[in-house]
């Protein structure tokens, strides 16, 4: 499958975009007109740069508002088009995107439009240019790909074909199946975009909220299977208008984009069992990955060893041992839960979740898949007598390791810590329920695709949780077997509320158990500092659920929170935060499937009070660039408050 | 008019919100349930704090999904309600917001709903509580305020009244006029919210995009006049759900909110000529302000005197003189344009627009109005023999001065520079066309209201301009007479593209003239460094407009850009950027009313290339918190790239 990307997807200059696309491994690009117009490079220089980078220039786009106009206007449009054909000749681009008319369309007559496309085709053929006609979802008269196709067929010109854009088709909920009825040779180009299902006008939706395949809600695999069955074998190109991508690092975005196409190609191949009917499109398969069936370990790196191990002990963990060859590395265990404490950092280093180990059937294959998906491998040193661990960096920099599903329940690497048996006694914790990871807003979509494509997790519907520093967007990534749950949280970017928000937004490890009261009591005995829960919360619980008073009193005594859904109940408590990490212990009764979302605001508020000093009424904070001005005719400004 | 604000509008803890509301000058607040639930303060403590701060607790909100349900469910709802009535008693709040049922409504029967409200009213009366019933715009059966009113009338209970929320009424485009037919004593509460006109589902619109009155597109003044005519005299309260407000400094937001009510009160009074028919609501008037009829001066503060004055000279400015008492302050003049150069800062201080002077009829009154609107005055020192200049800080920290409209065309303060006459020769610049100010995203709405309420400017529709670092949102603030035009630009927040974006986003002063060729030629003679315009731009101009080649050649020779609209033509050029400021010179031919928006991307790209070094392919930039992880079982991490 030939991969391509529109330059409008990427940030920076045209030359930066081209370098990034080539480095990411794209075969070609679409040249977005404005990117060329604002560039000091001549068309010939762009052509040469593309050749040098091994990029094909697949499409020149867009050409707008040519059709469905009166004769005079059309004559002017032909002039405008010819200037572009000359330009394309200098660029060496042979396909132009022609969008159905939005702004100037006057004549709602397919014959007229077809005739105008035919005449444009005649002009184009003189320059060896093919026209890919696309129905914009908000086109004045033509906004449906089947309608556009009828017109292309009417035009019946070798240089006039169709461009199919998944957004314009799926956003309007047109059935994509009829794509299979289009003659393959008439599909001149294909643009792909996914998007979250938003209820807003389709133009704004399209201009600001498109995402790469796998990052949204559209059925992109279904769309691709129709294309393959139609026999299309041209480039498959990404055209994404996304406010965040426009700002993000161009190299990251390009890598993210290619990953989305490789994943889609693989998924499509599987959907077709690799045997597309008339399919001429060659679909590469990726090495397979099965969903993980558990967390093998969690690594916490900290400069504060004492506080960290005390917290672990209070939660019931026992010291499993010290690593035989790696100084300052311990393992703490409780039942099946293994937490690596890595103290090989300076004292002032942050305390954070540094790495996650996932149990998979075939680590080597999983790593191969991940690297094929442009994930950057983690390289680590080990002795010959030590386990080989395979991992890659997640978009947020966390190390993700693929660990061999242990036969006897005990991973081989534990031997490197000389772990004993008797440490297993008194385990009340039964596993890792979920791990809540903070994501920088500009790489959130990238993270969703990463966990989808690399670990076969699926994104659940996102929700907003209100906190004192703003809304926190939370989306759970989950394995179908339910063994792995990982909420991704995007914290507010607020510049004004100090360290609580943004990068320092806390993450947490939630441990499961069957008797949260017992875990909490032991923790209290061992001196755990619980996250405080206000009295008002318990009063409100009473009002929301009819719980008996003893039960509520018991919850309150141990700082436990409570939630209930149709299936069952959820009891949990939080520890205070160490660095950027805290722990939660949860008990799920019956089939409760949530994460206590109604209680999240209580947690956020309590954490805010802990980490955020009462605001001083600093006047400086009230006018932004306070001392920007001094005074009109230049007082020394000393007067300004 | 009694002013109130819902705590949900503000960031931080409940106590922080209360302090901020009181300091801003609100009379009362609405207590948003969740803010109390997550607070460690008891209801009694909140009651005491409110008393101490002089805030009335006007409303407890929200109570949801009580009505249109079956008998069993309703019985449970009554229990839930009674718990809240007890809580309200402890808080000393006597009015509760009851929202029309969204989630659990089953019975679409006004009689049933009225009966249930009546029974809730009976229960409430025992606690001295009044119920303000509100039709949510997305209520299952009741989503229209007139429908809600019919039900309230049916219920016919002294403790059951209505709550009117401008968002729920105007977002659905219900006609607000029938408000006047509601019996005043039945309007228990009023909530105000403005919003930009967005085409999206009303729930998301309501939850994320509300703004303070005067910051959106709703006719808030019209809404208020109906309310006054209805005879309502209770609190007028702000209920704004806004993602940015939730993150912003709570004190700023509170001040911004009160300003919106003071402005609305004044506008409503004017709309009613101060003589509301049955109006019992006391409306305070603000000191009047007329729209400015020009810029009196622009102050640029810079640590780089030589470069600044060279640039001014190249543009045709002459040194007008040095200030008699303020060291390091000069004035440069050309025709009616006066630019203060304030060098009373260290050499490494940024070069920026520090202050703007606006010509108004009555500076003292304008200042009084601004301070009544909670704008912070600029205090400056002057000698007894010097002009008194009155100013306030704009939200972005720029100093805004109200200057006496000069009789003879020469402001009195110019005398303090000992300005001569002959400096006037050779003026080609005829005025300030517009001044383009960068705004931090989180204070953008505040800025719109500031210029609307303080300077009587009006907001034009916003548009997005694509640049290499993301979309720049641009909204023009303009005086009705056209004398003052001020585009406000919100630059992308991108963390990843260095100093070009965000705070350092350049601002500019656009000068008008009648012969841009002459200005450009003189500038070139004097060695001006023009912002370069690429050849591709001129090729594209040819394709877009049929211009004759000599004309295009003439434009290109002087780095001029061109645009055209229905009325006329626009020719302009840009200088390179000094610090965070650059200049533009524009010639408007005939009635061209735009700002050359189609050319803005050319400028942004050229500035990006100047200020943004070619990106090195630094792998660190590709994974965010790069060295977050070391390796699962604690390698020293030296292996990580």
């Amino acid at each position: 499958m030939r991969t391509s990307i529109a330059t409008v997807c990427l940030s920076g200059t045209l030359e930066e975009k081209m370098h990034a696309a080539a480095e990411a491994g794209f075969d070609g690009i679409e040249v977005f007109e404005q990117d060329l117009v604002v560039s000091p490079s001549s068309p010939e220089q762009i052509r040469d740069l593309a050749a040098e980078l091994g990029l094909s220039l697949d499409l020149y786009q867009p050409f707008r508002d040519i059709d469905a106009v009166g004769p005079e206007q059309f004559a002017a449009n032909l002039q405008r088009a010819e200037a572009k054909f000359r330009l394309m000749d200098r660029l060496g681009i042979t396909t132009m995107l022609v969008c159905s008319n939005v702004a100037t369309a006057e004549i709602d007559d397919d014959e007229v439009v077809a005739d105008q496309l035919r005449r444009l085709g005649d002009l184009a053929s003189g320059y060896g240019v093919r026209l890919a006609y696309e129905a914009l979802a908000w086109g004045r008269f033509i906004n449906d790909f089947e309608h556009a196709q009828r017109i292309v067929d009417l035009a019946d010109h070798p240089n006039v074909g169709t461009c199919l854009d998944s957004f314009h088709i799926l956003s309007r909920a047109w059935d994509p199946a009829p794509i299979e009825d289009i003659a393959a040779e008439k599909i001149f180009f294909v643009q792909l975009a996914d998007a979250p299902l938003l209820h807003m006008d389709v133009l704004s939706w399209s201009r600001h909220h498109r995402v790469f395949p796998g990052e949204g809600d559209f059925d992109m695999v279904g769309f691709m299977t129709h294309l393959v069955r139609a026999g299309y074998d041209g480039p498959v190109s990404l055209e994404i208008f996304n406010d965040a991508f426009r700002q993000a690092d161009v190299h990251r975005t390009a890598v993210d984009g290619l990953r989305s196409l490789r994943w889609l190609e693989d998924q499509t191949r599987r959907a077709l069992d690799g045997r597309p009917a008339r399919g001429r499109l060659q679909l590469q398969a990726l090495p397979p990955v099965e969903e993980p069936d558990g967390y093998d370990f969690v690594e916490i790196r900290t400069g504060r060893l004492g506080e960290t191990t005390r917290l672990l002990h209070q939660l019931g963990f026992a010291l499993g041992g010290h690593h035989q060859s790696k100084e300052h590395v311990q393992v703490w265990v409780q039942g099946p839960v293994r937490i690596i404490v890595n103290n090989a950092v300076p004292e002032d280093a942050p305390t954070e979740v540094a790495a996650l180990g996932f149990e998979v059937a075939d680590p080597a294959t999983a790593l191969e898949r991940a690297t094929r998906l442009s994930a950057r491998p983690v390289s680590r040193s080990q002795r010959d007598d030590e386990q080989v661990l395979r991992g890659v960096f997640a978009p947020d920099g966390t190390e993700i390791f693929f660990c061999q599903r242990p036969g006897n329940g005990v991973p081989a690497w534990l031997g490197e810590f000389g772990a004993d048996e008797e440490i297993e006694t008194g385990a009340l914790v039964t596993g890792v329920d979920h791990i809540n990871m903070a994501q920088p807003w500009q790489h959130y979509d990238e993270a969703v695709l990463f966990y989808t494509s690399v670990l076969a997790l699926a994104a659940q519907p996102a929700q907003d949780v209100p906190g004192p520093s703003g809304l926190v967007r939370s989306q759970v990534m989950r394995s179908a077997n339910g063994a792995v749950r990982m909420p991704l949280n995007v914290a507010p970017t607020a510049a004004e509320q100090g360290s609580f928000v943004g990068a320092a937004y806390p993450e947490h490890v939630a441990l499961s158990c069957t008797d949260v009261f017992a875990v909490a009591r032991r923790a209290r005995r061992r001196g755990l500092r619980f996250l405080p829960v206000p009295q008002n919360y318990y009063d409100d619980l009473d009002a929301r659920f009819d719980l008996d008073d003893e039960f509520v009193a018991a919850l309150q005594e141990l700082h436990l929170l409570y939630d209930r859904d149709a299936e069952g109940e959820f009891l949990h408590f939080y520890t205070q935060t160490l660095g950027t990490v805290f722990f939660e212990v949860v008990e799920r009764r019956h089939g409760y499937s949530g994460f206590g979302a109604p209680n999240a605001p209580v947690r956020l508020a309590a954490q805010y009070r802990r980490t955020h000093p009462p605001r001083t009424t600093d006047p400086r904070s009230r006018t932004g660039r306070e001392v920007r001005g001094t005074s009109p005719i230049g007082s020394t400004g000393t007067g300004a408050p």
Side-chain angles (χ1 to χ4, degrees), chain A:
Chain A
M1 184 173 103
R2 266 168 58 214
T3 58
S4 188
I5 185 168
T7 55
V8 72
C9 308
L10 303 169
S11 66
T13 66
L14 179 55
E15 298 78 359
E16 287 172 337
K17 295 168 188 230
M18 291 172 72
H19 278 281
E23 284 164 24
F26 280 94
D27 301 313
I29 59 171
E30 301 175 30
V31 174
F32 180 63
E33 181 168 78
Q34 193 171 68
D35 284 326
L36 180 69
V37 168
V38 303
S39 168
S41 303
S42 72
E44 291 76 8
Q45 287 171 318
I46 294 303
R47 178 182 195 155
D48 295 344
L49 177 58
E52 181 191 317
L53 294 171
L55 288 174
S56 59
L57 299 178
D58 297 324
L59 188 76
Y60 185 81
Q61 64 119 329
F63 193 74
R64 299 185 185 283
D65 300 331
I66 175 101
D67 57 316
V69 296
E72 210 167 281
Q73 179 68 60
F74 184 67
N77 291 351
L78 281 182
Q79 275 202 351
R80 187 160 57 90
E82 187 155 22
K84 295 304 172 186
F85 294 154
R86 282 193 293 268
L87 176 63
M88 289 171 67
D89 188 52
R90 296 173 61 193
L91 284 162
I93 303 183
T94 59
T95 308
M96 171 192 262
L97 177 68
V98 177
C99 302
S100 64
N101 195 326
V102 175
T104 64
E106 293 165 347
I107 304 167
D108 186 6
D109 180 330
D110 291 1
E111 292 288 353
V112 170
V113 175
D115 176 64
Q116 293 181 333
L117 285 185
R118 196 179 306 114
R119 290 167 58 192
L120 186 64
D122 288 338
L123 183 62
S125 62
Y127 293 87
V129 168
R130 302 184 334 151
L131 309 169
Y133 186 63
E134 174 180 77
L136 298 180
W138 51 89
R140 173 91 195 277
F141 300 127
I142 296 140
N143 45 46
D144 160 358
F145 76 101
E146 293 187 86
H147 187 183
Q149 189 55 45
R150 283 197 301 278
I151 290 168
V152 166
D153 293 341
L154 265 174
D156 188 27
H157 191 291
N159 292 65
V160 177
T162 191
C163 172
L164 297 172
D165 180 318
S166 62
F167 184 89
H168 292 294
I169 295 169
L170 302 178
S171 66
R172 295 290 303 269
W174 305 128
D175 173 9
I179 287 173
E180 300 184 21
D181 308 329
I182 303 176
E185 63 278 10
K186 276 304 191 183
I187 306 176
F188 283 6
F189 206 74
V190 169
Q191 296 176 314
L192 294 187
D194 198 348
L197 287 179
L198 301 174
H199 302 285
M200 63 197 303
D201 69 290
V202 68
L203 179 58
S204 311
W205 189 15
S206 172
R207 292 282 169 84
H208 301 286
H209 301 288
R210 293 182 177 206
V211 288
F212 291 130
E215 297 177 349
D217 297 327
F218 289 163
D219 176 9
M220 299 302 295
V221 175
F223 185 87
M224 278 298 294
T225 57
H226 296 306
L227 260 181
V228 174
R229 292 215 187 88
Y232 177 74
D233 65 354
V236 175
S237 186
L238 298 164
E239 187 191 36
I240 313 298
F241 305 91
N242 180 290
D243 292 358
F245 295 176
R246 285 178 183 272
Q247 303 177 35
D249 176 274
V250 65
H251 300 286
R252 291 185 69 127
T253 310
V255 167
D256 187 21
L258 189 70
R259 177 177 299 147
S260 74
L261 287 180
R262 291 278 171 249
W263 169 80
L264 182 62
E265 183 179 23
D266 180 61
Q267 294 292 105
T268 305
R269 184 190 172 92
R270 290 175 200 285
L272 293 163
D273 303 335
R275 283 183 270 80
R278 306 158 31 204
R280 287 179 289 169
L281 198 64
Q282 293 311 309
L283 297 170
Q284 301 294 325
L286 290 172
V289 65
E290 283 170 42
E291 57 179 4
D293 42 35
Y295 291 94
D296 188 58
F297 67 85
V298 175
E299 176 184 353
I300 292 174
R301 199 183 49 234
T302 179
R304 298 153 66 181
L305 182 62
E307 291 162 89
T308 307
T309 53
R310 179 204 296 146
L311 181 56
L312 289 169
H313 178 255
Q314 290 165 336
L315 291 171
F317 285 84
L319 177 59
H322 294 76
H323 194 267
Q324 61 189 24
S325 69
K326 300 199 165 67
E327 274 267 44
H328 312 301
V329 176
Q330 319 173 341
V331 64
W332 288 71
V333 298
Q334 181 170 200
V337 182
R338 296 167 286 273
I339 294 179
I340 308 288
V341 178
N342 178 355
N343 187 225
V345 289
E347 257 186 45
D348 59 357
T351 300
E352 54 191 3
V353 175
L356 298 176
F358 292 90
E359 291 178 356
V360 299
D362 181 351
T365 308
L367 176 66
E368 190 193 340
R369 176 188 176 92
T371 48
R372 288 275 298 280
L373 286 164
S374 312
R376 212 156 47 75
V378 175
S379 51
R380 58 180 295 269
S381 57
Q382 76 257 337
R383 291 193 331 205
D384 300 348
D385 63 344
E386 291 175 358
Q387 294 296 312
V388 177
L389 275 145
R390 302 174 175 81
V392 294
F393 287 102
D396 68 355
T398 308
E399 293 179 352
I400 301 301
F401 283 86
F402 309 106
C403 306
Q404 187 62 60
R405 196 173 290 166
N408 59 353
V410 179
W413 57 260
L414 209 49
E416 297 167 20
F417 289 85
D420 314 325
E421 282 317 310
E422 76 274 10
I423 62 177
E424 290 302 316
T425 58
L428 295 173
V429 163
T430 56
V432 172
D433 186 85
H434 61 277
I435 296 178
N436 194 319
M437 302 291 285
Q439 302 295 312
W441 66 272
Q442 68 270 40
H443 304 312
Y444 170 77
D445 296 311
E446 181 186 349
V448 168
L449 177 62
F450 173 85
Y451 290 110
T452 302
S453 60
V454 169
L455 274 175
L457 302 183
Q460 313 299 306
Q463 60 180 315
D464 290 331
V465 178
S469 299
L471 294 175
V472 176
R473 186 170 186 228
S474 182
Q475 179 158 32
V476 176
M477 300 300 299
R478 175 174 193 289
S479 60
N481 57 19
V484 167
R485 301 191 198 88
M486 194 159 57
L488 303 180
N489 282 2
V490 185
T493 54
E496 295 182 336
Q497 294 199 342
S499 67
F500 176 81
V501 296
Y505 180 77
E507 304 182 312
H508 76 275
V509 177
L511 305 165
S512 54
C513 70
T514 57
D515 183 353
V516 70
F517 288 98
V519 178
R521 259 185 248 104
R522 176 175 64 187
R524 184 177 53 178
R525 233 176 19 247
R526 296 182 176 185
L528 177 73
R529 291 167 61 229
F530 290 82
L531 188 72
V533 181
Q535 170 69 48
N536 296 339
Y537 169 77
Y538 295 102
D539 295 344
D540 186 58
L541 264 192
D542 251 342
R544 282 162 55 212
F545 310 107
D546 54 342
L547 305 168
D548 67 63
D549 298 351
E550 297 71 44
F551 181 66
V552 174
L555 292 175
Q556 183 164 9
E557 184 198 355
L558 292 163
H559 309 280
L560 296 179
L561 297 102
Y562 177 87
D563 190 31
R564 192 162 70 195
D565 66 14
E567 287 70 38
E569 298 176 300
F570 190 64
L571 288 74
H572 58 137
F573 70 85
Y574 299 108
T575 71
Q576 289 186 16
T577 304
L578 192 60
T580 63
V581 185
F582 64 95
F583 287 83
E584 178 182 9
V585 177
V586 315
E587 177 184 343
R588 292 174 184 273
R589 292 183 174 178
H590 315 300
Y592 181 91
S593 55
F595 296 84
N599 299 330
V602 178
R603 164 172 73 79
L604 291 170
Q607 290 172 331
Y608 175 89
R609 286 175 186 273
R610 290 272 152 184
T611 58
H612 197 70
R615 272 184 231 147
T616 58
T617 337
D618 173 4
R620 301 249 335 262
S621 71
R622 297 199 199 176
T623 65
R625 279 174 301 158
E626 188 50 44
V627 292
R628 183 193 209 192
T630 53
S631 158
I633 43 183
S635 82
T636 59
T638 50

